[in-house]
Amino acid sequence: RKTKKQNTKYEKDQELHPTHSFLWRWNEKDFNNMTCNKAGTVEESLKNSPKFAKTAEKNKEKELVIIRDGKAISPHLPCTLIKKGDRLTVKYVKAVERPKKPIGAYVSLCRNKPPSNLVMFHVLTKGGKNIVRIMKNSALRAFQEISVYAYKGERVKAALKRDGRLHSSIFKKNFVLSNKSTSVKTELSNPVDELNDETFQIILLDKSDPPPSLPGSLDEKLEPNQEMTPRNLVLEIPNSKRTQNQLCFQFEKFVKGIKTLVPTLSHFQNLFRVDFGQSTQMCSEVRTMKRLMCLSDSAGQVRINGQPNGSGFLLFGNYAFTNGHVVKDIYDKQRSQFNEKVSVHFSYESVDQTEGALDVLELVCFELKPDVPGGDWALLKLSAHQRLPPGLLEHIGFPPKDGGICIIGHPEGGVKKIDPCLIVPSQNRLQVVERHYRENQGPVQFVTRSFFEGVATSVDRKSFLTYESCFYYASSGSPVFDKHCNVVAMHSGGYIYRSANGETKSVIEFAHPLLAIMERLIIQMTLKVLWFVKLFICLENFHILSSYNQTS
């Protein structure tokens, strides 16, 4: 039962963000209904739809454009500005730079403000006379207008910067907004309060430098290309200097107390940190790298229904290896076939490449025992309608105990990459785990000690090849090469966590030794052959017995 205080808070939240519905569609297809009951951005609301999430994953290298009433709204537009019955069309255009995470920092800071505090105005995508370019992405010029949201009390310049779609040159000259209907000009230092639902064109007033920002305004705290974050959006509270000094003094005292509790590294640990981070074993001879580049042709990307799901490599002929866990969710054991379309792409080295797909005809052998060395693999038979790269079977070798290695695959579902890194010997694994734990200490502990203790227990008993790599999601199944260009293991996983600053990190990564995989493959194939031989003998005996009965 909710208390009176909880009911009051719930009613207040409902008032700030009432549940609302809107329609959306991909390109010009049929509309889908979306009900939103939580404050956030339009993109965050759309991601609640599995259909949109699938489309977004497919186009993650492109820029999201959302159209409402013929105007391009920002993906980080507060969802409270979307009204019942609004129809949104979702498109993706080629990005001029790698898409960043949605700019939701300012939205989250103002999440508890009612919709009445929001202002929406519109800007033409083509500037006035003597203006060559105002949009950062020229593809947006296909739409006549963009819609920009703002909060009452902030300046026009701050709203345009946060929008993120205008070219940085707009903020380096004396530009103003000219009302499309009245031709009345509004300087960028003006508040946004009176601009609601008006349409403007950006014009060049003169070629002089822009006027200085007003004291205390948001835009004086941001550089033209600086990204909006909670850190640089917080403004100084008036008459707060004394309180700030007291809090800083208490914080410094608190931090000093923490530092006294952190144990100093032993001499051995310090040696380990220097040797591991600066070892020359990561350096490779030019001829070695040339040979690896040739062998990299045999590494490929495993896709399910056209979407990247892992990596793999050609073993021999038209047979390829990947991890068992890459395809386990789509394999029907009873019917011995895949439920979805699986393909392997060996030439995906540029985002523009679309050819080179080889369909998987069947799953020849499969095993998924992740805790057993060599127990996570799948052998795929590929169609051979095009020329295949050479297989890596003849290059199999024993995994080294230390030294440099190279992983070649498709991390994050992207193009083919190579990561030179160092093996973490078994005796040093716990020190790597401890280092990650120490690096994540602070006033607020974002990753619990129990997580690192679990990792330490797990890696201590694994008889796998371990290392520290930048290959995370969708890189399972990548071949691991030693310094002699022998393929020694199959990259299989790691221990992922999110650090205090929001970065995805891994404590340590591991690979199954390829010789162990081959041993288990041979055993499984031998058992299959023995089963067929036994079946053949039984059928022969049955045939002999039937002939004897007929004779009798």
Side-chain angles (χ1 to χ4, degrees):
R1 181 183 297 177
K2 291 184 178 179
T3 63
K4 183 177 180 180
K5 185 176 180 180
Q6 289 174 323
N7 282 327
T8 304
K9 183 179 184 302
Y10 176 76
E11 291 170 0
K12 184 178 179 181
D13 290 342
Q14 288 294 97
E15 179 183 350
L16 293 175
H17 185 272
T19 300
H20 60 109
S21 299
F22 58 89
L23 302 176
W24 75 276
R25 65 179 177 180
W26 162 242
N27 282 333
E28 303 300 327
K29 297 182 180 180
D30 296 333
F31 281 99
N32 305 278
N33 186 62
M34 170 60 67
T35 301
C36 176
N37 59 2
K38 184 179 179 182
T41 66
V42 177
E43 185 177 8
E44 288 171 343
S45 296
L46 288 171
K47 283 186 175 179
N48 291 324
S49 163
K51 184 176 181 180
F52 174 83
K54 185 177 180 179
T55 301
E57 177 64 24
K58 185 178 179 181
N59 294 276
K60 62 183 179 180
E61 297 295 331
K62 296 184 179 181
E63 181 176 339
L64 172 63
V65 178
I66 304 173
I67 311 301
R68 181 180 69 171
D69 297 332
K71 302 177 180 67
I73 64 175
S74 169
H76 55 86
L77 179 86
C79 65
T80 51
L81 287 173
I82 303 300
K83 302 174 184 177
K84 182 179 180 181
D86 276 354
R87 298 184 172 215
L88 308 182
T89 300
V90 174
K91 296 177 181 289
Y92 281 91
V93 298
K94 187 175 180 179
V96 295
E97 58 186 30
R98 185 174 179 85
K100 298 177 181 178
K101 293 181 179 180
I103 307 174
Y106 197 77
V107 177
S108 63
L109 289 176
C110 303
R111 194 179 293 273
N112 293 325
K113 289 188 177 183
S116 58
N117 278 22
L118 289 164
V119 174
M120 176 84 81
F121 62 95
H122 316 290
V123 178
L124 298 177
T125 57
K126 296 181 181 179
K129 186 178 179 181
N130 297 326
I131 300 179
V132 178
R133 179 184 180 187
I134 65 169
M135 304 306 299
K136 186 182 296 183
N137 192 336
S138 57
L140 292 178
R141 297 186 66 181
F143 312 101
Q144 188 174 1
E145 301 175 31
I146 63 170
S147 296
V148 180
Y149 73 92
Y151 291 89
K152 289 183 179 179
E154 72 174 337
R155 309 289 172 179
V156 176
K157 186 176 181 181
L160 294 177
K161 279 188 176 182
R162 181 183 60 255
D163 184 83
R165 292 176 289 179
L166 295 179
H167 197 268
S168 59
S169 60
I170 300 300
F171 308 105
K172 296 177 181 178
K173 297 294 181 182
N174 195 10
F175 288 93
V176 296
L177 299 183
S178 176
N179 193 297
K180 184 180 178 183
S181 301
T182 64
S183 297
V184 173
K185 297 177 179 59
T186 301
E187 296 181 356
L188 302 192
S189 59
N190 275 24
V192 298
D193 299 44
E194 303 299 325
L195 306 186
N196 194 41
D197 210 25
E198 297 286 344
T199 301
F200 300 90
Q201 184 179 42
I202 295 179
I203 65 172
L204 182 62
L205 194 63
D206 54 58
K207 295 184 179 180
S208 61
D209 292 334
S213 302
L214 297 178
S217 64
L218 177 64
D219 54 287
E220 76 171 347
K221 301 181 180 293
L222 292 173
E223 296 298 325
N225 295 320
Q226 189 175 354
E227 183 182 357
M228 292 254 177
T229 64
R231 182 184 300 277
N232 56 36
L233 283 169
V234 178
L235 304 182
E236 183 178 345
I237 302 173
N239 304 319
S240 62
K241 198 68 177 179
R242 182 178 178 184
T243 304
Q244 179 185 1
N245 291 337
Q246 290 177 344
L247 290 173
C248 288
F249 174 76
Q250 293 176 5
F251 180 76
E252 289 176 2
K253 186 177 179 180
F254 175 71
V255 170
K256 287 180 180 178
I258 291 179
K259 287 182 178 179
T260 58
L261 298 176
V262 178
T264 57
L265 294 175
S266 67
H267 176 66
F268 176 78
Q269 287 174 318
N270 277 318
L271 284 175
F272 168 72
R273 288 171 66 91
V274 174
D275 290 343
F276 188 78
Q278 301 176 357
S279 176
T280 57
Q281 295 179 78
M282 288 188 66
C283 301
S284 298
E285 295 179 356
V286 172
R287 62 175 181 176
T288 301
M289 295 307 297
K290 286 183 177 180
R291 191 178 178 193
L292 280 175
M293 291 303 99
C294 293
L295 295 174
S296 70
D297 292 341
S298 302
Q301 185 179 66
V302 179
R303 298 182 186 178
I304 297 176
N305 291 330
Q307 298 300 309
N309 202 61
S311 299
F313 59 93
L314 200 68
L315 187 63
F316 63 89
N318 60 326
Y319 292 86
F321 252 158
T322 187
N323 276 127
H325 69 259
V326 171
V327 295
K328 69 179 179 65
D329 293 332
I330 59 166
Y331 183 65
D332 189 335
K333 290 184 178 180
Q334 293 181 347
R335 296 189 298 171
S336 298
Q337 65 183 36
F338 288 122
N339 294 325
E340 309 289 346
K341 181 181 178 181
V342 185
S343 59
V344 181
H345 301 246
F346 291 102
S347 59
Y348 183 51
E349 298 176 0
S350 169
V351 293
D352 298 327
Q353 289 179 320
T354 56
E355 73 284 351
L358 291 170
D359 293 333
V360 174
L361 301 179
E362 65 174 300
L363 180 62
V364 181
C365 288
F366 168 85
E367 187 175 20
L368 186 57
K369 296 178 180 178
D371 293 329
V372 177
D376 184 2
W377 55 272
L379 184 64
L380 311 174
K381 183 179 180 180
L382 311 178
S383 61
H385 62 272
Q386 64 185 43
R387 185 177 179 182
L388 292 169
L392 299 180
L393 180 61
E394 61 181 285
H395 300 285
I396 292 180
F398 290 95
K401 295 183 179 180
D402 53 27
I405 55 172
C406 278
I407 311 171
I408 302 177
H410 295 265
E412 305 293 338
V415 297
K416 190 179 297 183
K417 295 181 180 180
I418 180 169
D419 181 24
C421 51
L422 284 173
I423 293 173
V424 178
S426 57
Q427 67 270 19
N428 292 338
R429 292 173 183 171
L430 297 183
Q431 295 173 17
V432 174
V433 177
E434 183 64 26
R435 172 164 57 82
H436 277 268
Y437 173 68
R438 287 196 306 270
E439 290 174 354
N440 284 276
Q441 297 305 293
V444 179
Q445 191 171 345
F446 286 84
V447 190
T448 63
R449 182 172 183 85
S450 59
F451 167 78
F452 290 102
E453 289 175 346
V455 173
T457 302
S458 181
V459 298
D460 191 39
R461 65 168 182 255
K462 283 186 182 293
S463 300
F464 301 156
L465 189 68
T466 53
Y467 39 82
E468 288 190 282
S469 167
C470 63
F471 272 33
Y472 298 157
Y473 301 107
S475 60
S476 294
S478 301
V480 180
F481 296 88
D482 66 7
K483 62 183 180 181
H484 303 296
C485 299
N486 296 317
V487 57
V488 297
M490 184 189 295
H491 180 61
S492 301
Y495 298 87
I496 302 295
Y497 68 93
R498 193 168 293 277
S499 64
N501 58 6
E503 292 181 332
T504 299
K505 292 188 176 183
S506 176
V507 181
I508 198 170
E509 296 73 55
F510 60 88
H512 286 268
L514 199 55
L515 285 174
I517 294 176
M518 292 301 299
E519 180 181 347
R520 301 181 73 84
L521 168 64
I522 293 170
I523 292 173
Q524 193 172 129
M525 293 294 290
T526 303
L527 291 175
K528 279 190 174 184
V529 171
L530 290 175
W531 185 86
F532 279 113
V533 170
K534 185 177 180 181
L535 178 63
F536 176 77
I537 293 173
C538 290
L539 290 174
E540 280 294 312
N541 291 337
F542 176 77
H543 176 71
I544 294 171
L545 183 61
S546 298
S547 300
Y548 175 77
N549 290 335
Q550 290 176 3
T551 304
S552 301

